[in-house]
Amino acid sequence: TEIGLIKADGTGKVRNMTDSGFADSQPKWMMGGKMLLWFSSRDGKQDLASTGSRESDAYGMFLTAEAWQKFNLSKEEAELLAEAEKEAEKDAKKDDDKKDDAKKAEEVKPVSIDWDRLEDRKARLTIHSSSLSDAVVTPDGETLLYLSRFEKGYDLWKTNLRTKETSILSKMGGSGGSLTLDAEGKNVFMLAGGKMSKVDVATGKSSSISISGSYQVDRQAEFAYNLGFAWRWVNNKFYQKDMHGVDWPMYLQAYQRFLPHIANGYDFQELLNEMLGELNVSHTGAGFGQSQPGRDETAAFGLLTSEVEGKDGLRIDEVLPKGPFDRPDTKVKKGTILVKINGLPLSQDVNTAGALVNLSGTHVLLSFQSADGKVTWDEAVKAISVGAESGLLYERWVESRRLLVDSLSNGRLGYVHVRSMSDPAYRVTFEDALGRQATTEAMVVDTRWNGGGDLVDDLSTFLNGFRYATFTTRNGRIIGGEPQRKWVKPSILLVNEGNYSDGHCFPYAYRTKKIGKIVGMPIAGTCSWVSGTGMPDGQSSLRTVHLSFDDLTGRPLENQPLEPDFMVRNTPQLKSLGRDEQVERAVKEMLGQLGTK
């Protein structure tokens, strides 16, 4: 995350222009090569996780001492200089008029850089950190234009770099995009959300630029090209030059013979995945995304139901907390029978899912019957999506694990589940561990089914806290200590076959740092860095491992399984009865480590 500069002919060394421990990105030339513009996270807020999202600012580095001096002039000084430059331009124009028109075309001047004290000639251009999409500076160096999101969507902002006056130039409220100035800096062209528009820099007047056209595609030729593109991209990106010992050129020829039988993007995706699968590596595959507007979606109500033997309707077995029926004015409870949906009787030959198509987000009339069949009533409720209901089921599962740990340990142990290696999941872990679990003696950290992300260092550092000072009141009561933002007590880790990517990196770090023991099932070796790209067809995508994550011996963790200290398999029979043998073993081992109280 540094900005590098290298000669256009590729000679010489790359020069680090920013030398910052903060994230730097999106560099571009401005002011005809007199300024380098980039984004920096130096002054903005960032997520709790170090690799989460962050606010940025536009920074400018002035490549000549003259440009830097001009940038720092006051408004009055800049106006005097502008008048002097106008007079100089008039004199120069008189001289140009005497010359031949053929000689007026001036060659492009090479970028001139004053290297002496270059690092001191930089400035923060934006007056507020934000989520930035793109930014440009007018050729005269007077105005900064940038796409920033504060509320709903991105808007085009304008800052006078001399006075720092800042305002919204054009209210867009859309997606981020890219900005390009015309040669005079009077208009800025914006590409965002698949649309182009032109905005007048002085007035903010916006006008759309319509584009229309058509083209014909030779699908077979396109498939053939994309196969070659995918092969070359992986060949140049793959983290090991020997391609895992695979004869990669041979496989290109082997799979080319299937091309005449490929009819659509989904078929081609399968072809690519078969070829990429020969590499025996994680994070590698192809996708095909085609928008499907108007797709059917089944609704849900946050109710767990079962069929009533020999009778119509569905029995309510459980009302999910936080669901549509988790409210004080409902009569629905365990044992209640759901008999109708929007007036449709739920007879034994009715597909209930079919009755719920595309009702998500709408109010639905449900008819119920008491368990004894004596009372019937209707209730209207807003249906939720199956995805939302899945979230409620997840929260139900986490709470049941927490209560299980609390019960088995008689309140001595806490419990957190790290759902993914992301900032939102880290915030939940941080809140629970230092909140309601703060008074427990130790903690069960559950990462089962964690699909990855990038949290390995944050989470392992958080759990590896060392208490080096305490805070004591005047009456001798200890009320805390340092560090205040880390877990300083013992912990034990739960893993299983569902841990993937950073869900493997973290248990490796947990063991390597000797934080605690690991309970569960072996984890496949999938800890590595992934890189992805879009395909030339605009609908297909591709990704593979481009960087290895190595252990202390230099051996890649890719394809290197992690074995737990205590291997415990949750048997289906006991799991169906509500048992969680992995949690039970983790509690047993942790209590054994703590000893009797």
Side-chain angles (χ1 to χ4, degrees):
T1 57
E2 294 291 297
I3 306 302
L5 182 67
I6 192 169
K7 291 183 179 179
D9 61 9
T11 62
K13 295 182 178 180
V14 177
R15 170 129 181 184
N16 192 331
M17 302 294 283
T18 48
D19 279 325
S20 171
F22 294 96
D24 302 306
S25 63
Q26 295 180 243
K28 60 174 65 178
W29 299 109
M30 287 286 116
M31 297 173 59
K34 296 179 182 179
M35 175 198 281
L36 174 66
L37 175 73
W38 77 96
F39 291 168
S40 171
S41 66
R42 184 184 186 278
D43 305 291
K45 296 177 181 179
Q46 68 176 48
D47 282 341
L48 185 64
S50 58
T51 55
S53 62
R54 51 176 66 96
E55 294 179 341
S56 299
D57 282 276
Y59 265 74
M61 176 176 283
F62 295 83
L63 304 181
T64 66
E66 180 185 5
W68 175 245
Q69 182 181 21
K70 186 176 179 179
F71 174 76
N72 286 287
L73 293 176
S74 66
K75 181 181 178 182
E76 293 75 14
E77 292 169 336
E79 289 172 350
L80 290 173
L81 179 62
E83 288 297 324
E85 289 178 342
K86 284 182 180 179
E87 292 298 323
E89 286 178 4
K90 289 179 182 178
D91 295 337
K93 189 175 186 304
K94 291 178 182 178
D95 293 338
D96 284 343
D97 290 340
K98 299 175 183 179
K99 298 178 182 179
D100 186 79
D101 288 342
K103 297 181 180 179
K104 286 184 179 181
E106 186 178 348
E107 293 183 0
V108 176
K109 295 180 180 179
V111 172
S112 176
I113 301 178
D114 297 334
W115 295 104
D116 184 38
R117 299 183 63 186
L118 176 63
E119 65 277 4
D120 293 332
R121 298 199 302 271
K122 65 180 180 181
R124 179 187 181 190
L125 304 181
T126 44
I127 65 168
H128 48 214
S129 303
S130 63
S131 176
L132 292 174
S133 179
D134 200 7
V136 290
V137 173
T138 52
D140 59 8
E142 295 292 325
T143 305
L144 170 72
L145 303 164
Y146 57 101
L147 281 170
S148 176
R149 183 183 67 203
F150 281 100
E151 299 168 344
K152 183 180 180 180
Y154 286 85
D155 299 314
L156 181 61
W157 289 71
K158 175 181 178 180
T159 293
N160 184 314
L161 294 176
R162 190 74 56 196
T163 64
K164 302 303 179 183
E165 293 179 42
T166 299
S167 61
I168 293 180
L169 180 63
S170 181
K171 187 72 176 176
M172 316 298 293
S175 60
S178 59
L179 302 174
T180 302
L181 285 164
D182 62 14
E184 294 78 23
K186 294 181 178 180
N187 297 288
V188 60
F189 297 89
M190 180 168 61
L191 175 62
K195 300 178 181 179
M196 287 205 305
S197 58
K198 181 179 74 171
V199 180
D200 186 294
V201 173
T203 65
K205 181 181 179 181
S206 176
S207 56
S208 61
I209 301 175
S210 60
I211 298 176
S212 63
S214 62
Y215 62 94
Q216 292 182 332
V217 177
D218 183 335
R219 296 306 301 273
Q220 290 303 315
E222 183 182 47
F223 290 142
Y225 180 83
N226 283 344
L227 182 66
F229 172 89
W231 184 93
R232 290 191 302 275
W233 187 83
V234 174
N235 187 60
N236 289 317
K237 278 280 187 181
F238 200 67
Y239 80 111
Q240 289 189 341
K241 287 185 177 181
D242 70 351
M243 306 299 287
H244 272 187
V246 165
D247 188 348
W248 194 230
M250 181 275 291
Y251 278 115
L252 175 61
Q253 296 178 3
Y255 281 91
Q256 282 175 334
R257 63 193 175 95
F258 296 107
L259 287 173
H261 310 286
I262 299 301
N264 54 61
Y266 297 104
D267 290 348
F268 183 68
Q269 170 188 299
E270 292 301 318
L271 173 65
L272 277 183
N273 280 322
E274 289 291 333
M275 183 178 75
L276 296 170
E278 306 288 355
L279 292 169
N280 187 31
V281 65
S282 67
H283 294 89
T284 299
F288 177 73
Q290 192 173 39
S291 61
Q292 295 178 317
R295 292 178 60 184
D296 287 342
E297 182 181 7
T298 306
F301 301 104
L303 299 173
L304 301 185
T305 63
S306 60
E307 294 182 355
V308 184
E309 186 174 356
K311 295 183 180 181
D312 294 339
L314 295 172
R315 178 189 293 111
I316 309 301
D317 296 323
E318 186 175 344
V319 177
L320 292 180
K322 301 182 182 179
F325 281 95
D326 183 17
R327 60 189 196 192
D329 61 341
T330 182
K331 295 192 290 183
V332 175
K333 59 183 179 179
K334 182 178 180 179
T336 299
I337 308 299
L338 173 62
V339 294
K340 293 181 182 179
I341 298 177
N342 277 342
L344 175 67
L346 299 183
S347 61
Q348 296 183 48
D349 59 349
V350 170
N351 181 352
T352 306
L356 297 175
V357 172
N358 298 330
L359 294 181
S360 177
T362 67
H363 282 86
V364 181
L365 184 66
L366 301 181
S367 301
F368 296 97
Q369 188 178 86
S370 61
D372 58 13
K374 295 180 179 180
V375 181
T376 60
W377 71 95
D378 295 335
E379 291 190 24
V381 67
K382 182 181 287 188
I384 60 176
S385 67
V386 172
E389 187 177 70
S390 178
L392 298 178
L393 289 168
Y394 167 74
E395 292 184 21
R396 169 181 178 268
W397 179 81
V398 171
E399 182 64 12
S400 69
R401 300 310 90 183
R402 187 185 70 80
L403 293 174
L404 177 61
V405 169
D406 184 73
S407 174
L408 293 173
S409 69
N410 197 25
R412 297 179 66 185
L413 304 183
Y415 170 88
V416 293
H417 182 259
V418 187
R419 190 176 192 178
S420 64
M421 294 300 172
S422 64
D423 181 79
Y426 187 36
R427 289 177 182 270
V428 173
T429 301
F430 190 94
E431 181 178 45
D432 283 358
L434 301 184
R436 61 179 173 180
Q437 313 294 352
T439 58
T440 58
E441 299 175 47
M443 186 162 59
V444 175
V445 180
D446 192 350
T447 63
R448 293 176 295 179
W449 312 112
N450 188 307
D454 188 6
L455 196 64
V456 52
D457 189 60
D458 295 278
L459 187 56
S460 62
T461 300
F462 172 75
L463 294 171
N464 200 28
F466 170 72
R467 177 56 55 84
Y468 57 86
T470 55
F471 306 149
T472 308
T473 65
R474 61 187 289 171
N475 60 5
R477 181 187 175 200
I478 297 177
I479 60 169
E482 294 287 3
Q484 299 181 57
R485 295 167 58 86
K486 293 182 181 179
W487 181 259
V488 296
K489 301 173 185 178
S491 63
I492 193 166
L493 183 64
L494 277 172
V495 302
N496 72 354
E497 308 91 329
N499 285 57
Y500 190 83
S501 190
D502 207 45
H504 171 211
C505 302
F506 169 69
Y508 161 78
Y510 189 87
R511 168 172 287 166
T512 303
K513 291 185 176 184
K514 300 179 180 179
I515 299 174
K517 297 297 183 180
I518 303 176
V519 177
M521 292 295 285
I523 304 173
T526 59
C527 176
S528 52
W529 290 92
V530 61
S531 178
T533 184
M535 298 279 283
D537 64 7
Q539 292 179 306
S540 301
S541 60
L542 187 68
R543 67 178 194 161
T544 192
V545 173
H546 76 285
L547 191 67
S548 66
F549 191 113
D550 304 338
D551 63 20
L552 295 178
T553 69
R555 181 186 174 194
L557 294 188
E558 179 69 33
N559 278 332
Q560 184 184 156
L562 183 142
E563 300 286 338
D565 297 302
F566 306 102
M567 189 178 298
V568 180
R569 177 174 177 262
N570 275 341
T571 56
Q573 297 91 335
L574 294 180
K575 190 174 181 180
S576 67
L577 298 174
R579 293 273 301 276
D580 191 328
E581 296 162 271
Q582 293 170 344
V583 167
E584 292 171 4
R585 183 63 178 272
V587 171
K588 178 182 177 181
E589 295 297 335
M590 192 73 261
L591 291 178
Q593 180 181 327
L594 294 174
T596 57
K597 190 173 180 180

